[in-house]
Amino acid sequence: MVPGAKARPVQEFLNVLLFRPLAHLLVRLLLPTPVRPPHLVLFHTGLALLAAWLLYRGEDLWAAFLLQLKTVLDNADGQLARLRGEVSALGRYLDTEMDFLGNLALFVALALRTGEGEKALLAFLVFTLVQSFDFNLERLYREARGLPLPEEPQDPETPLLRLLRGLYALLFLPQDRAIRALELFLKRRLGLDPLRFFDEGALAGVVNLGLSTQLFFLGVFLLFHQPAAYLTFVLLQALYLGLGYVWRIVRSIPSPRWGP
């Protein structure tokens, strides 16, 4: 594992193969400098906003390139924070919410570029939902095995931290609670084996649709000047999630016991 990388039960393939090693090369250069993780967060958010503008203008190759650079920096901010011992609640909320802002800008640009506003809105909702499944299934995986959840860093309470925490509660907590409620309802109602329902296979199915992978494929579609096709690609992930549920449920039903 790359030093400073986030420990997870299942890793995102493209991060392990490509983006995380590139990010580590950058982090090694940044360690002796005064650059801090929030600086990287703000910078890669700016790159995402610039990529959205270029996408809207039809500058697809530059937009695709900036999205991959954004992903490298997005991996680098966490590595830098862990290696420096600067992991913080403020950094976590800032990173999540700046990613949300960048993603929103990209889908607004896709809507304007393609003229398919309703399709882009629906795709953005699916896109966001997939990211939430990634976060929540890992927590359910840990709970099912009695593993500790990642600890929330204890930052000094500041107005900025309260603002970011409040924004997180507004933007993400409702869907987090809905996903968790659905998962636990299905497990309880159908009598599913939690160690199989929340296993590495279930995690891999959503981890590998994480933000790094999503932006990589957006870049691929832009290389072929097909932004509308990317919206279809995202919408098909809703079907993928539904089929994934069927697969997880079938394989998690306890085998019948015969005999007295």
Side-chain angles (χ1 to χ4, degrees):
M1 180 180 292
V2 171
K6 185 177 181 180
R8 302 191 65 184
V10 174
Q11 299 288 343
E12 192 170 354
F13 175 74
L14 281 174
N15 273 345
V16 173
L17 180 68
L18 179 62
F19 294 114
R20 192 170 288 167
L22 291 175
H24 185 64
L25 295 176
L26 176 62
V27 168
R28 291 178 62 182
L29 297 175
L30 294 177
L31 276 173
T33 74
V35 174
R36 299 185 59 222
H39 299 151
L40 291 180
V41 171
L42 294 175
F43 185 65
H44 69 62
T45 302
L47 291 181
L49 297 177
L50 179 56
W53 172 249
L54 292 170
L55 192 164
Y56 165 67
R57 289 173 54 87
E59 302 284 345
D60 291 343
L61 299 185
W62 279 110
F65 170 73
L66 289 183
L67 288 174
Q68 309 321 305
L69 180 57
K70 185 267 184 199
T71 301
V72 172
L73 292 171
D74 201 2
N75 276 267
D77 64 53
Q79 289 186 35
L80 184 63
R82 283 181 283 274
L83 288 174
R84 285 245 193 95
E86 295 179 351
V87 176
S88 65
L90 187 145
R92 176 208 163 195
Y93 290 126
L94 182 67
D95 192 23
T96 302
E97 289 160 24
M98 290 300 98
D99 280 343
F100 179 85
L101 175 62
N103 297 338
L104 178 61
L106 288 168
F107 277 88
V108 169
L110 285 165
L112 295 173
R113 170 77 178 279
T114 63
E116 299 186 68
E118 293 180 358
K119 185 177 180 181
L121 174 60
L122 187 57
F124 178 68
L125 295 176
V126 172
F127 181 100
T128 306
L129 188 65
V130 170
Q131 309 308 306
S132 292
F133 266 100
D134 182 359
F135 173 77
N136 286 283
L137 282 186
E138 180 173 337
R139 296 179 71 86
L140 291 164
Y141 171 94
R142 292 178 181 275
E143 290 174 7
R145 288 157 179 78
L147 300 174
L149 297 176
E151 292 186 6
E152 177 80 11
Q154 299 301 310
D155 294 11
E157 196 69 24
T158 64
L160 179 57
L161 178 57
R162 286 194 292 271
L163 173 63
L164 293 178
R165 187 185 292 125
L167 286 173
Y168 185 92
L170 177 67
L171 295 172
F172 300 104
L173 276 186
Q175 62 187 3
D176 285 346
R177 288 171 177 164
I179 290 170
R180 183 180 179 85
L182 175 62
E183 293 280 334
L184 294 177
F185 170 79
L186 289 173
K187 177 185 75 70
R188 182 176 62 253
R189 182 71 173 176
L190 301 176
L192 304 177
D193 178 356
L195 295 180
R196 300 199 70 181
F197 193 52
F198 308 123
D199 68 355
E200 289 84 355
L203 281 177
V206 291
V207 165
N208 285 292
L209 288 176
L211 185 56
S212 296
T213 302
Q214 297 283 359
L215 297 186
F216 174 82
F217 277 103
L218 175 53
V220 171
F221 279 96
L222 290 179
L223 287 178
F224 292 95
H225 305 288
Q226 296 294 325
Y230 178 72
L231 295 177
T232 302
F233 170 75
V234 175
L235 289 175
L236 287 174
Q237 293 172 30
L239 176 62
Y240 168 82
L241 285 179
L243 294 175
Y245 260 122
V246 173
W247 174 74
R248 290 173 59 205
I249 289 170
V250 169
R251 66 193 296 271
S252 304
I253 297 174
S255 300
R257 298 181 178 179
W258 304 100

